[in-house]
Amino acid sequence: MDKTNVTRIANIYLLGFQIPQSVTLFMFFLFISLYCVTICGNLLIITLVSYSRTLHSPMYFFLSQLSVLDIVLVTDILPNMISNALVKKTIMSFSDCLTQFYFFVMVEPSECLLLTVMSWDRYLAICKPLHYTLKMNYKVCWILVMLCWICGTFVAIVNIVTISKLKFCGPNVIDHFFCDFDPILQLSCSDFTTALFEAQILGFTFVVIPFSIIIVSYAYIISTIFKMSSITRHKVFSTCSSHLTVVCIYYGTLVCVYLIPNIGQTKTITKLLSLLYTVFTPMINPIIYSLRNQELKNVAGKIIQNFLNMY
């Protein structure tokens, strides 16, 4: 066996955010609070969609799947951040680092594709209403969701296999709050040009192309909305505004972190931008959809009222 191909790094040190000692406990409870709010908010969306028959439509089905992805993402990222708030260096094995990276990479393209599917769903509902029930039935919804998960899993496996072929002989410190692609590559002592090229191809396929489809879909949607009466226009646009807000936040941070050259960009700025789409977006998604969607608020109100009536 060729010993040069053996991974020599046993443990990885995640530096995370260099938090002053005076605010350590505050950041610890803040991260715990963010995690609880995110989990509860997304579980609420899943519960509401499952509970109410009025929400058994493709739009809310896709929203519940988005919540599932967000739960997986924050569960993958936030526990280490909570630990890092108390301990300045989070120690994890190299295999645990790759496991965290696997779930992160699995979720990101899956979410990109799911947001694209949601935009296509809105396009059919607004621009092709007569064909909507035929093209967006229960079976099609499940097929589309499964394809999102399968593509995300494919991207994750390809990245993990590529990284496993590299040699890692030190250093073993990652100046980030989770095991991301570039920080892991920086630990390699072998040529990773092929890995970078592969990542660019996958990024273009599962990030840039879906984003382009979303832009085209909304161009048609907005064009159709402007042809409607003012009352109908406001009602129809309200069903799209939440999704459009989430897309702008999510893709905006992805573009800043991965697609724009980070020459001169400090590690702190990169971490803060990464924080937006790994923690902030999963937390705010349920809030955006709940506040701007009357049907969700009505169902939530009914559940609360039924609960109070029990007592």
Side-chain angles (χ1 to χ4, degrees), residues 15-176:
L15 296 184
F17 291 97
Q18 300 304 296
I19 302 170
Q21 192 66 35
S22 58
V23 294
T24 294
L25 283 178
F26 170 76
M27 297 305 294
F28 173 74
F29 287 111
L30 175 63
F31 289 150
I32 288 181
S33 299
L34 289 175
Y35 184 62
C36 292
V37 168
T38 304
I39 295 296
C40 292
N42 283 287
L43 282 177
L44 177 62
I45 294 292
I46 295 171
T47 303
L48 291 178
V49 173
S50 302
Y51 170 81
S52 176
R53 290 189 175 183
T54 60
L55 300 181
H56 288 179
S57 65
M59 181 176 72
Y60 295 109
F61 172 72
F62 294 137
L63 178 58
S64 67
Q65 294 300 310
L66 183 65
S67 292
V68 172
L69 287 171
D70 284 340
I71 289 173
V72 173
L73 181 59
V74 294
T75 303
D76 185 46
I77 301 296
L78 265 175
N80 274 336
M81 291 181 62
I82 295 170
S83 171
N84 186 257
L86 295 178
V87 184
K88 296 306 177 184
K89 283 185 179 180
T90 300
I91 303 174
M92 61 195 310
S93 68
F94 188 77
S95 59
D96 287 344
C97 183
L98 290 184
T99 300
Q100 185 188 52
F101 175 69
Y102 171 85
F103 283 104
F104 167 72
V105 178
M106 180 188 71
V107 169
E108 292 305 308
S110 298
E111 193 151 331
C112 288
L113 293 172
L114 186 58
L115 288 172
T116 307
V117 169
M118 292 171 76
S119 69
W120 185 59
D121 170 69
R122 293 298 83 207
Y123 164 77
L124 288 177
I126 296 169
C127 302
K128 307 286 184 181
L130 297 179
H131 303 282
Y132 181 72
T133 54
L134 180 63
K135 293 187 177 182
M136 195 60 75
N137 54 50
Y138 184 76
K139 182 179 179 180
V140 171
C141 290
W142 268 109
I143 290 174
L144 290 172
V145 167
M146 292 304 297
L147 284 174
C148 291
W149 281 94
I150 290 170
C151 288
T153 303
F154 167 76
V155 174
I157 291 174
V158 169
N159 276 279
I160 290 296
V161 170
T162 300
I163 289 175
S164 66
K165 293 179 181 179
L166 300 175
K167 292 179 289 184
F168 294 88
C169 46
N172 63 342
V173 178
I174 291 180
D175 189 6
H176 211 323

Side-chain angles (χ1 to χ4, degrees), residues 98-288:
L98 290 184
T99 300
Q100 185 188 52
F101 175 69
Y102 171 85
F103 283 104
F104 167 72
V105 178
M106 180 188 71
V107 169
E108 292 305 308
S110 298
E111 193 151 331
C112 288
L113 293 172
L114 186 58
L115 288 172
T116 307
V117 169
M118 292 171 76
S119 69
W120 185 59
D121 170 69
R122 293 298 83 207
Y123 164 77
L124 288 177
I126 296 169
C127 302
K128 307 286 184 181
L130 297 179
H131 303 282
Y132 181 72
T133 54
L134 180 63
K135 293 187 177 182
M136 195 60 75
N137 54 50
Y138 184 76
K139 182 179 179 180
V140 171
C141 290
W142 268 109
I143 290 174
L144 290 172
V145 167
M146 292 304 297
L147 284 174
C148 291
W149 281 94
I150 290 170
C151 288
T153 303
F154 167 76
V155 174
I157 291 174
V158 169
N159 276 279
I160 290 296
V161 170
T162 300
I163 289 175
S164 66
K165 293 179 181 179
L166 300 175
K167 292 179 289 184
F168 294 88
C169 46
N172 63 342
V173 178
I174 291 180
D175 189 6
H176 211 323
F177 61 87
F178 73 101
C179 293
D180 202 357
F181 185 69
D182 286 337
I184 292 176
L185 289 188
Q186 297 307 316
L187 304 182
S188 175
C189 52
S190 58
D191 182 22
F192 49 76
T193 305
T194 302
L196 285 174
F197 178 74
E198 189 177 85
Q200 290 173 350
I201 296 297
L202 291 173
F204 180 80
T205 304
F206 295 101
V207 178
V208 177
I209 292 179
F211 185 49
S212 301
I213 294 173
I214 292 174
I215 292 175
V216 173
S217 298
Y218 271 99
Y220 280 106
I221 289 171
I222 293 172
S223 175
T224 303
I225 288 175
F226 278 125
K227 297 176 183 177
M228 300 176 179
S229 63
S230 58
I231 298 176
T232 307
R233 185 187 307 163
H234 175 76
K235 183 179 179 181
V236 171
F237 187 75
S238 65
T239 65
C240 302
S241 57
S242 301
H243 179 255
L244 195 56
T245 303
V246 170
V247 168
C248 290
I249 296 172
Y250 184 75
Y251 273 99
T253 51
L254 279 183
V255 168
C256 290
V257 174
Y258 294 107
L259 299 182
I260 295 177
N262 56 5
I263 298 173
Q265 183 172 295
T266 65
K267 294 287 185 180
T268 303
I269 293 176
T270 301
K271 291 177 191 177
L272 289 174
L273 289 172
S274 299
L275 197 64
L276 288 176
Y277 67 86
T278 56
V279 177
F280 179 72
T281 303
M283 179 191 70
I284 204 171
N285 280 354
I287 299 173
I288 292 174

